[in-house]
Amino acid sequence: MNFRLPAKNFLLFASCLLLLASCESNDDALEKSDDAFAHYLSLSLEERQSSEHAVEALQTPDDLEVTLFASEPMVVNPTNLTVDARGRVWVCESYNYDVPESEQKESGGKISILEDTDGDGLADKKTIFYQGDDVHLALGIAVLGSRVFVSRSPNLLVFTDENGDDMPESKDTIFTGMGGPGDHSAHSVVFGPDGKYYFNYGNAGIRVLQKDGSPIKDRSGYVINSHGQPFHGGMVFRFDEGGENLEVLGHNFRNNYEVDIDAFGTLWQSDNDDDGNKGVRINYVMEYGNFGYRDELTGAFWSRPRVGMHDSIPIRHWHQNDPGVVPNMLYTGAGSPAGILAYEGDLLPERFQNHLIHADAGPNVVRAYITEKDGAGYKASIQPILHSDHDQWFRPVDVSIAPDGSLFVADWYDPIVGGGAAGDREKGRIYRVAPKGHKYEPTNTNMTLSMAMERIGSANQSERFDAWHMVHDQLTEAESSLTEIFTNESDATSRVRALWLLAKTPESTKYIRQGLVDANPDIRVAALRMARQSDMDIIEVLRGMSNESSPEVLREMAIALRYEKGAEKAAIWSDLASKYEGDRWYLEALGIGANGEWDLCFDAWLSQVGASWNEGTNRDIVWRSRTEAALPLLADLIEDRSTSQSDRLRYFRAFDFFGPEKNSHLIKLLDTDHTQRQDIILLALQQIDAENITVGAGITQALNEVLSKDKPSWEAVDLIKKYQQKDKVDWLLSWSADAANPDIGLEAMGVLTDPAGFDAFNAIEKRIYDEPDAAVQMIQSMRSSHNGESMALLKKVVLDANLEMAVRRAAVEVLGSSWGGENHLLETVASSEFPTELKPLAGSILFSVYRQSIRDEAEKYLERPASGAQKDLPPLRVLVATVGSAEKGANVFSTYCATCHKYGSEGVDFGPALTEISNKMDREGLFRSIIYPGEGVSFGYETIELTLKDGSKVVGLLANETQTEVQLKLVGNIIQTFAMSDIASKTVLPQSLMTDLTPV
């Protein structure tokens, strides 16, 4: 494919890339001077990217070393790995990632086994366990006994190899329906200390179905899908061995790549933010929690304005200010977070033991997260383990622990990180990290019962699974030894793993009760989890723990109430709520526990605290509650003169989580006698559910008090639309013509041109014709409207010779500012009435659009603009080696890129932000993204085409979608809202909205 562009642009784009690639890594704890890499840096680019020199570019702590275990051609594009009980490495190979079918040398994907048979630390044997289209883009693998679980959306597959010949006798589907193959889909299965299975999927997973296609209901009785009833986005699941009893343990994640579970039954995972927001997070997955990617009730995206939203985008991104959202443990900035594990081995240095290890492909790093308790939750700090400053192709995507405790790392090795694109199709590496000099040796898998007793605490999942099942199958013989471990050993991890198995014996209740009174609160937490999975009476268990004071145990007690019912639950919940002292983790656990019984729980608490409900941290209980009884108290808190403005905002936000029953309390606030009267009235009007009230004199008076024609604002426009104040059409017309407030003008025009609302086209047309001084700005405000009536009016303006040329020119520009408008502009150009004076402008627009069909058709009516000298674009390797200038790059960014992208504080927030783009791509990857923009469109930036029922089409990026409306982000960062009832169809187009470098 040869692209042509003016030769002068070669160095300009290279300069822009130098600017984009200039940001610093945030993982500098392993930084060494360039002198340490002198030999590596002296090599040619081809030599540096060869496996022979792969390790030379990597940095580890001084007490660790990294060695290469396998590389191309033995392994290509590994997406996930695991190490089996024999020490062999199993890999999902996605060698056809981003390879067109016509160019594939062999179809599908592979599940491969890599083995070191001669003990030199390098894999020398490869066995293809399975190959096929149904494992192409597999993103998860787990070897558990004779079964191999492979996660490849839409399916969770299980292969069975009973005779151990590394050839599966059977293949079955456990679950299906989980979206399609891709980075945001289903990920690895992990085996829990409770004998259950866990996995997750990202927000492309959509649903989980039985293998016959029938829906599955969660334990709560809800169908498992992400349509907001009640679940959203990515989820974490638990199920029994045969696939039974699937339940959702956490939801509302974006791209949670993998989950892991530690010996105590605590779940951990990472989650990727929308590109450019520096909000990558590490989560302790509090069971049954909502983790805040989308609005809990409406499903609105984080960018949708809401009362009290946080100034910090990473915090706002995850709705952290909303009642009902679990806190985030750690933010790691920008990145491409991938595989994660809880390291419970003893080979790596002590500072890494019993902490998390995580692969983040974006910033080329494997990190440890050193966790510590933080009230009822956790906080963490970062310790890099493996990093590369000098080879940006190092893309660690997964980590796994071998039976000896050493760490294996899968390296995708590519200039690009996912998103459907790849710059390399032939490379891939597997590394091993261990203390210096530690020799890697195979494990003896022939276990006796006593050996199995030791290995139930293995750091390696496959070995731990085998040991767990051997002990479980011989519990009668093993019970005394397990009891000895639990009662006499000092290591809490060994003790709790023994207790999980003792909880499977006929005397399970006895052992769980011992755990519930153990001196170690972590053991008590695990014992509560065991009690919930047993037949024990949870109410009776919790009653016996009334004197508990440990924050993490109190948290777990609250969560244990989730599925309980009745007055006894309410009494225990009230006691637990009385122990709340401001810990957000604990507050959310209380919310999880009250689920389904909020009325009873809140009434019991109010009876207990009496008049002190309005004091100190008790206010938070009111804010978090989901019962109608909390509404008058929220109103009282709002009017309380001691309430700070920030608290007042969050109390107003709490009203969003109620239905029409909130209206009477908000309407009463309109009569407030308060120094903050106008602020309170404005917020109350915003929070009232206008669809379920009649706009009476009180609301009209309140609107007149807070609205003024001389004070345009987005809040004012919103209230006029919300309450259908059609007597204020003149205000909206004036605001749409106000050049001093163009953003508000866009909002105002969007209301005026809504056919289902104001439908004020006659008034708009009259103002354009009667007031030529205002006409240009009004037409520019029509960039926010793309329905058929708006297009027809703009076309009329263009062809009307009685209007000033500046007005007609503005109409041409607005028609050409959108995908749908391009078609209308082309139709207008075809008219014999199209003015000759505007043909150069129309040509500059139509010959620079993305669609070749538009450019070809335009040639029938317009002459192509003259362009500079053309020449073939050089090969990527030449462009990559081109020296650029950051100063010139900044100019290029301002001229070409800033209309759709942000870099730092400059530019428009339309496409992905570019500030941290070098954390996800090296120079070659950046060039590919500019030259071939449709090669890999980031998830969430797909081109969406809406066909409206009036026949018009609108194209943009999905900004927000709820059950009642769709919002598209149009070029220029214009947000336009469409009611579901007006949409005939919604289509994801295969191309990017970013124009390629084909010459005009």
Side-chain angles (χ1 to χ4, degrees):
M1 183 183 296
N2 290 322
F3 285 93
R4 300 169 63 85
L5 76 166
K8 65 182 180 180
N9 282 351
F10 291 167
L11 285 176
L12 289 180
F13 276 106
S15 298
C16 186
L17 288 166
L18 181 63
L19 171 74
L20 298 179
S22 63
C23 65
E24 297 291 330
S25 165
N26 63 354
D27 286 285
D28 56 3
L30 302 179
E31 298 299 323
K32 298 179 180 178
S33 70
D34 284 349
D35 292 344
F37 300 94
H39 175 259
Y40 178 81
L41 295 173
S42 71
L43 301 173
S44 68
L45 178 62
E46 184 176 357
E47 288 173 324
R48 275 183 272 164
Q49 292 178 347
S50 71
S51 59
E52 180 183 355
H53 299 284
V55 171
E56 292 183 45
L58 301 178
Q59 299 149 266
T60 60
D62 291 340
D63 51 356
L64 292 174
E65 67 177 347
V66 56
T67 56
L68 183 69
F69 182 77
S71 63
E72 69 276 0
M74 179 175 278
V75 60
V76 175
N77 288 7
T79 57
N80 202 255
L81 86 165
T82 191
V83 185
D84 69 16
R86 293 165 55 183
R88 304 181 304 170
V89 177
W90 294 61
V91 182
C92 299
E93 290 187 83
S94 290
Y95 47 86
N96 284 323
Y97 192 92
D98 188 40
V99 180
E101 189 172 345
S102 60
E103 299 178 22
Q104 294 178 9
K105 298 176 183 177
E106 50 183 332
S107 65
K110 294 175 185 174
I111 305 301
S112 305
I113 309 171
L114 310 179
E115 189 174 359
D116 171 19
T117 63
D118 58 11
D120 66 352
L122 285 171
D124 50 62
K125 178 183 177 182
K126 178 175 181 175
T127 303
I128 307 300
F129 179 78
Y130 183 84
Q131 182 172 4
D133 290 338
D134 52 356
V135 296
H136 169 50
L137 291 181
L139 293 179
I141 184 168
V143 179
L144 301 175
S146 62
R147 300 198 298 171
V148 179
F149 292 83
V150 176
S151 305
R152 190 273 190 183
S153 283
N155 303 317
L156 177 57
L157 303 171
V158 60
F159 298 86
T160 302
D161 176 19
E162 290 288 0
N163 62 12
D165 64 354
D166 296 330
M167 297 177 62
E169 293 91 49
S170 65
K171 178 185 70 173
D172 197 5
T173 300
I174 300 179
F175 304 118
T176 190
M178 299 181 289
D183 304 344
H184 292 239
S185 298
H187 297 284
S188 297
V189 167
V190 293
F191 179 68
D194 51 2
K196 292 179 178 284
Y197 298 76
Y198 298 76
F199 78 105
N200 65 3
Y201 66 47
N203 61 336
I206 307 300
R207 68 185 66 81
V208 187
L209 304 175
Q210 301 282 11
K211 64 181 179 181
D212 64 4
S214 59
I216 302 175
K217 289 187 177 181
D218 174 70
R219 182 179 173 186
S220 301
Y222 298 111
V223 173
I224 298 176
N225 61 47
S226 59
H227 301 328
Q229 297 177 348
F231 307 120
H232 290 290
M235 303 186 206
V236 179
F237 305 99
R238 173 167 58 208
F239 64 94
D240 290 341
E241 185 163 345
E244 302 86 5
N245 299 317
L246 182 71
E247 59 178 322
V248 176
L249 297 181
H251 76 107
N252 217 356
F253 300 98
R254 179 180 179 269
N255 185 15
N256 41 325
Y257 196 92
E258 197 169 68
V259 68
D260 198 29
I261 185 169
D262 66 22
F264 300 91
T266 304
L267 294 160
W268 312 92
Q269 68 175 20
S270 63
D271 194 12
N272 195 4
D273 63 341
D274 289 337
D275 284 351
N277 291 315
K278 298 185 180 180
V280 172
R281 59 177 175 174
I282 309 300
N283 291 116
Y284 148 54
V285 183
M286 185 186 290
E287 287 189 37
Y288 312 120
N290 162 28
F291 286 81
Y293 176 52
R294 299 181 72 167
D295 184 280
E296 178 185 328
L297 292 188
T298 68
F301 291 123
W302 65 271
S303 55
R304 181 72 178 267
R306 55 191 183 272
V307 172
M309 65 183 187
H310 204 281
D311 291 339
S312 165
I313 287 181
I315 295 175
R316 188 192 316 168
H317 190 288
W318 304 116
H319 286 83
Q320 289 288 287
N321 288 86
D322 282 0
V325 175
V326 176
N328 293 325
M329 181 178 77
L330 177 70
Y331 293 95
T332 62
S336 302
I340 195 169
L341 59 85
Y343 183 74
E344 294 178 325
D346 57 8
L347 178 68
L348 297 185
E350 186 176 356
R351 65 185 182 278
F352 300 125
Q353 294 172 20
N354 298 310
H355 295 294
L356 306 177
I357 297 177
H358 179 229
D360 193 334
N364 326 100
V365 66
V366 175
R367 305 184 183 101
Y369 302 125
I370 311 303
T371 58
E372 57 181 301
K373 293 172 185 175
D374 182 25
Y378 298 88
K379 60 184 178 181
S381 58
I382 297 174
Q383 285 268 347
I385 290 179
L386 189 61
H387 180 47
S388 178
D389 277 334
H390 298 293
D391 186 0
Q392 258 195 300
W393 283 38
F394 172 58
R395 302 295 186 182
V397 291
D398 197 22
V399 285
S400 185
I401 302 300
D404 71 343
S406 56
L407 174 69
F408 278 80
V409 179
D411 179 7
W412 173 253
Y413 203 76
D414 198 277
I416 302 172
V417 187
D424 179 85
R425 300 171 179 176
E426 299 177 350
K427 294 183 175 65
R429 281 88 191 261
I430 307 294
Y431 298 102
R432 175 175 160 268
V433 179
K436 289 182 177 179
H438 179 79
K439 181 177 174 58
Y440 187 59
E441 296 180 350
T443 302
N444 178 7
T445 57
N446 296 318
M447 282 191 289
T448 62
L449 181 58
S450 61
M451 293 169 64
M453 209 77 65
E454 296 174 1
R455 295 183 186 180
I456 59 172
S458 172
N460 172 259
Q461 176 175 236
S462 294
E463 185 175 54
R464 190 167 64 244
F465 176 91
D466 292 343
W468 191 96
H469 277 275
M470 178 175 280
V471 175
H472 183 265
D473 292 345
Q474 302 179 60
L475 273 177
T476 301
E477 296 88 340
E479 185 172 355
S480 61
S481 297
L482 289 170
T483 304
E484 180 73 17
I485 294 172
F486 175 64
T487 56
N488 290 332
E489 286 202 14
S490 59
D491 176 54
T493 301
S494 300
R495 294 182 64 225
V496 78
R497 289 200 180 275
L499 184 60
W500 281 108
L501 280 158
L502 288 168
K504 305 292 183 182
T505 67
E507 296 289 324
S508 60
T509 299
K510 177 184 75 173
Y511 294 117
I512 292 172
R513 290 192 184 282
Q514 290 177 18
L516 291 170
V517 296
D518 196 89
N520 187 328
D522 294 328
I523 300 287
R524 302 201 297 276
V525 165
L528 265 171
R529 292 168 177 166
M530 296 172 204
R532 284 165 42 205
Q533 292 186 19
S534 73
D535 296 327
M536 295 180 69
D537 182 337
I538 294 300
I539 293 296
E540 187 267 332
V541 166
L542 296 177
R543 246 195 328 255
M545 302 178 71
S546 59
N547 293 324
E548 181 62 60
S549 61
S550 167
E552 63 264 42
V553 182
L554 291 171
R555 173 204 72 213
E556 213 63 28
M557 291 171 66
I559 293 171
L561 285 169
R562 180 175 179 81
Y563 292 110
E564 302 303 314
K565 301 291 183 183
E568 288 190 284
K569 166 180 175 167
I572 293 171
W573 188 90
S574 176
D575 286 339
L576 291 171
S578 70
K579 297 180 180 180
Y580 170 72
E581 296 180 345
D583 177 358
R584 179 65 185 276
W585 295 96
Y586 187 42
L587 182 64
E588 290 308 324
L590 288 168
I592 290 167
N595 181 70
E597 295 280 7
W598 264 112
D599 291 347
L600 277 176
C601 290
F602 194 71
D603 286 348
W605 176 75
L606 277 179
S607 297
Q608 183 172 344
V609 299
S612 65
W613 70 266
N614 191 16
E615 297 175 4
T617 57
N618 284 342
R619 290 181 167 211
D620 294 344
I621 302 290
V622 177
W623 172 73
R624 176 61 183 87
S625 297
R626 300 294 172 81
T627 171
E628 192 171 342
L631 291 172
L633 306 187
L634 284 169
D636 287 348
L637 290 173
I638 287 168
E639 289 207 278
D640 190 322
R641 294 178 184 275
S642 69
T643 299
S644 68
Q645 181 63 6
S646 61
D647 277 345
R648 186 170 289 118
L649 290 174
R650 71 187 186 111
Y651 298 145
F652 267 115
R653 172 60 173 161
F655 275 101
D656 279 331
F657 299 91
F658 294 89
E661 66 272 13
K662 67 185 178 182
N663 283 339
S664 61
H665 305 283
L666 289 165
I667 289 172
K668 286 180 181 178
L669 286 172
L670 300 180
D671 295 326
T672 184
D673 179 16
H674 197 286
T675 55
Q676 300 293 321
R677 175 177 170 79
Q678 285 215 340
D679 287 348
I680 291 174
I681 290 175
L682 176 62
L683 289 163
L685 288 168
Q686 289 176 323
Q687 298 305 91
I688 289 171
D689 180 3
E691 292 184 4
N692 290 285
I693 62 166
T694 299
V695 179
I699 288 179
T700 300
Q701 179 181 342
L703 286 167
N704 290 335
E705 181 173 345
V706 298
L707 297 178
S708 169
K709 184 177 181 179
D710 297 329
K711 294 180 180 179
S713 66
W714 73 263
E715 292 95 340
V717 175
D718 186 63
L719 289 176
I720 291 171
K721 176 183 178 182
K722 179 175 181 175
Y723 293 99
Q724 290 292 289
Q725 299 286 289
K726 294 187 178 181
D727 62 325
K728 295 180 173 57
V729 165
D730 184 60
W731 294 19
L732 297 173
L733 288 168
S734 296
W735 296 348
S736 68
D738 183 1
N741 295 287
D743 291 341
I744 297 169
L746 289 169
E747 297 279 349
M749 185 60 75
V751 174
L752 290 167
T753 57
D754 181 0
F758 281 53
D759 196 9
F761 288 99
N762 290 336
I764 296 169
E765 183 175 345
K766 186 176 187 306
R767 186 68 65 98
I768 289 173
Y769 277 81
D770 291 352
E771 300 182 24
D773 291 343
V776 170
Q777 186 61 42
M778 286 193 72
I779 288 172
Q780 289 176 348
S781 293
M782 291 185 73
R783 287 182 296 131
S784 65
S785 179
H786 297 274
N787 52 43
E789 292 91 337
S790 298
M791 295 296 106
L793 177 55
L794 289 169
K795 289 160 72 174
K796 179 180 179 179
V797 168
V798 171
L799 298 178
D800 194 331
N802 294 316
L803 288 170
E804 294 182 5
M805 191 57 64
V807 177
R808 301 167 77 186
R809 173 180 290 273
V812 169
E813 291 173 342
V814 172
L815 279 173
S817 68
S818 69
W819 188 287
E822 293 165 2
N823 296 315
H824 290 283
L825 178 58
L826 190 60
E827 292 174 7
T828 310
V829 166
S831 170
S832 60
E833 299 175 39
F834 191 85
T836 302
E837 299 95 318
L838 292 180
K839 287 186 176 180
L841 173 62
S844 69
I845 295 170
L846 293 175
F847 288 121
S848 63
V849 301
Y850 182 93
R851 289 175 288 173
Q852 182 68 44
S853 60
I854 295 285
R855 301 198 297 263
D856 291 343
E857 183 70 15
E859 261 190 312
K860 298 178 182 178
Y861 314 107
L862 302 168
E863 292 185 8
R864 282 185 177 271
S867 59
Q870 310 289 322
K871 65 181 291 184
D872 288 342
L873 191 66
L876 275 177
R877 58 183 174 78
V878 175
L879 288 171
V880 169
T882 302
V883 178
S885 157
E887 181 180 354
K888 292 180 179 178
N891 292 332
V892 172
F893 173 80
S894 299
T895 303
Y896 296 100
C897 313
T899 54
C900 289
H901 299 277
K902 291 197 76 170
Y903 181 81
S905 59
E906 183 181 355
V908 174
D909 185 17
F910 177 67
L914 303 181
T915 311
E916 302 285 342
I917 196 66
S918 67
N919 274 344
K920 301 190 78 168
M921 300 180 185
D922 75 341
R923 288 171 67 91
E924 179 174 336
L926 292 167
F927 269 112
R928 294 189 72 90
S929 294
I930 290 174
I931 299 169
Y932 316 118
E935 185 178 67
V937 180
S938 296
F939 191 90
Y941 292 94
E942 300 91 344
T943 301
I944 304 296
E945 179 183 75
L946 296 183
T947 301
L948 305 180
K949 290 181 179 177
D950 67 0
S952 59
K953 295 181 183 293
V954 187
V955 175
L957 305 180
L958 186 64
N960 185 49
E961 182 174 10
T962 69
Q963 296 176 16
T964 59
E965 66 182 30
V966 172
Q967 287 188 319
L968 286 192
K969 185 191 291 187
L970 310 178
V971 174
N973 200 31
I974 299 166
I975 305 294
Q976 188 169 5
T977 302
F978 303 89
M980 284 291 189
S981 58
D982 295 333
I983 299 172
S985 65
K986 185 182 80 169
T987 306
V988 179
L989 300 180
Q991 60 265 58
S992 167
L993 279 174
M994 181 173 168
T995 305
D996 61 31
L997 296 185
T998 304
V1000 296

